Amino acid sequence: MTQHPVIRYTSEASWALVEDKFSPYAKETLSKLIQFLEDEVWPATKVAHLQLPLDQERRWNTVIPIVAELKGKAKKLGLWNLFLSKSHYPNFGVPLTNLEYAVMAELLGREGHIASEIVNCSAPDTGNMEVLARYASPEQQKQWLIPLLNGEIRSAFAMTEKGVASSDATNIQTSIRQEGNDIVINGHKWYISGAGDPRTKVHLVLGKSDPNNKNTHHQQSIVIVPADAPGVKIIRKMHVFGYDDAPEGHCEIIYDNVRVPLSNLILGWGRGFEIIQGRLGPGRIHHCMRSVGAASAALDLLIQRVTDPTRKTFGRYLFQHVGTVVTDVAKSRAEIEGARMLVLSAAMQIDKYQAKGALKEIGIAKFIVPSVALNVVDRTIQAFGAEGVSQDQELAGKWAGLRTLRIADGPDAVHMQQVGMRELRRAEGLHQRTAEQRRKESALLEKARIKAHL
């Protein structure tokens, strides 16, 4: 039996676990994606870097030519919006499950710069499309979702605020209030991904619309804000470990008396927290899927480096020296396999119960997988020495992106707290079962004593 080409980039054991859960359409799409990545996307990565100008003004106003060209090819091949499952979004999605997309996202994550964008599966657009598909009105969908699905525009999600502990969304201070038939927005946001892109035409802005509501989870609302609305002021592009991530960027933005029509409110007043919970769940697992791919690609580089005959020292391959290289390879493989299982498990739970029913699995994956991927990349950097931190390798960029993921979409501590508290809810049941077990043990011991005396 011919093996599926995905085994080149994953493990036989992993594929064996999920193969029978893949539809014929999904298997065909996966094969097509692998061919496209191998023939077109991965070879184009360095070209894309070269096509991004060094000049500060031009790099923020550039649509990278080879990316635009490959997006057109991907669309024609049907490799488009793969993240949007039809079972959850019947009017807009594609016939793929989250599990099927998880395997594809791992492949996209092997190259973290352009691959996801080329197939219209990159953040923050993915999360924004899910919000609009699930919660927006038909008019809002027509104006903003359809162009996003078609790849005609890009978007930003404005939640994080400067000077505010934004990991707790109830702390958000941006003011959203109704004034006649308008909504007025005032606030100071930062690290708003995608806001620097010249193609970004819309921001989804989270703010406080009812600060006095006793239920802190009903104080927030989300509003659609055109990127060119008067009062939307991009103050600066923030750096991440020295990377500016142009042309998308992560921007500091002031919304200064921005006015939009009342019809730009999504779902209703006080529904913002509900919306972001629905948005962030799938987005978190998408990040984890790609992180597994980044780690896998790093391990491949590590193996090639330590077996490269041109890199021998003192007449030996790097892996032949007394030290930890072979151990590092083994640990990396084990960690990747475990991380992948966490991601696939979470994806299956989302397919069965949607994101709300998979919060534990998503949370565990979110604080485990990026750290695992960081470990693998760090070992590979060590094997490459100075080259590992240079612009001649993608490793430094991978490390920066993965390290940022330990903060993005909720820091590790928040997910650990949530998972830990969820586990502690089992305490009462555990005490009851233990008490019942001891009761049964006591009864058996008493019978044994009576029998011994007889």
Side-chain angles (χ1 to χ4, degrees), residues 49 52-62 64 113 191-197 234 236-252 396-397 400-401 404:
H49 279 295
L52 184 64
L54 294 176
D55 177 76
Q56 278 300 305
E57 185 172 346
R58 288 177 57 218
R59 74 193 274 106
W60 291 104
N61 290 288
T62 295
I64 300 173
H113 182 58
Y191 280 101
I192 305 307
S193 299
D197 197 307
I234 294 182
R236 59 175 173 160
K237 280 83 173 183
M238 304 302 300
H239 288 193
V240 178
F241 291 105
Y243 293 94
D244 64 6
D245 291 325
E248 297 91 349
H250 315 278
C251 297
E252 183 173 352
T404 305

Side-chain angles (χ1 to χ4, degrees), residues 20-267:
D20 64 344
K21 296 178 174 63
F22 267 59
S23 69
Y25 172 82
K27 288 179 181 177
E28 180 185 351
T29 302
L30 178 59
S31 297
K32 198 187 300 182
L33 177 64
I34 291 170
Q35 190 80 44
F36 183 57
L37 290 171
E38 289 179 338
D39 294 347
E40 304 265 11
V41 177
W42 291 336
T45 303
K46 289 188 177 178
V47 176
H49 279 295
L50 290 172
Q51 288 182 342
L52 184 64
L54 294 176
D55 177 76
Q56 278 300 305
E57 185 172 346
R58 288 177 57 218
R59 74 193 274 106
W60 291 104
N61 290 288
T62 295
V63 175
I64 300 173
I66 199 164
V67 173
E69 176 189 336
L70 290 174
K71 285 175 85 168
K73 290 183 178 181
K75 201 170 183 181
K76 287 179 182 177
L77 288 168
L79 300 172
W80 198 253
N81 296 331
L82 304 173
F83 73 98
L84 200 64
S85 174
K86 199 172 187 66
S87 62
H88 297 301
Y89 305 95
N91 295 328
F92 305 103
V94 296
L96 294 172
T97 65
N98 281 283
L99 176 65
E100 290 163 345
Y101 176 62
V103 176
M104 298 177 194
E106 179 180 336
L107 297 173
L108 295 171
R110 292 180 66 88
E111 186 290 311
H113 182 58
I114 61 173
S116 291
E117 182 188 343
I118 284 170
V119 294
N120 214 38
C121 291
S122 58
D125 295 332
T126 48
N128 290 339
M129 285 187 266
E130 288 176 329
V131 165
L132 294 169
R134 186 181 295 277
Y135 303 111
S137 69
E139 293 77 17
Q140 291 169 343
Q141 290 173 343
K142 182 179 179 181
Q143 185 173 2
W144 301 112
L145 175 59
I146 301 304
L148 280 167
L149 288 171
N150 291 337
E152 297 163 4
I153 64 172
R154 297 205 67 186
S155 62
F157 188 76
M159 184 176 102
T160 306
E161 294 185 1
K162 188 173 184 180
V164 173
S166 302
S167 58
D168 179 357
T170 63
N171 290 334
I172 297 300
Q173 295 300 306
T174 291
S175 168
I176 293 177
R177 61 183 175 85
Q178 183 176 350
E179 192 173 289
N181 291 323
D182 288 343
I183 297 174
V184 182
I185 303 110
N186 282 283
H188 191 167
K189 304 281 188 180
W190 76 338
Y191 280 101
I192 305 307
S193 299
D197 197 307
R199 297 162 293 181
T200 293
K201 303 301 180 188
V202 62
H203 299 181
L204 303 189
V205 181
L206 175 73
K208 219 159 233 187
S209 54
D210 187 7
N212 297 318
N213 194 310
K214 291 181 181 179
N215 187 332
T216 56
H217 294 111
H218 290 165
Q219 295 178 348
Q220 306 82 14
S221 298
I222 291 182
V223 178
I224 297 170
V225 177
D228 60 357
V232 177
K233 302 174 181 177
I234 294 182
I235 305 304
R236 59 175 173 160
K237 280 83 173 183
M238 304 302 300
H239 288 193
V240 178
F241 291 105
Y243 293 94
D244 64 6
D245 291 325
E248 297 91 349
H250 315 278
C251 297
E252 183 173 352
I253 306 173
I254 289 178
Y255 297 94
D256 183 10
N257 283 313
V258 177
R259 287 180 175 269
V260 297
L262 192 57
S263 58
N264 281 28
L265 179 69
I266 297 181
L267 193 59

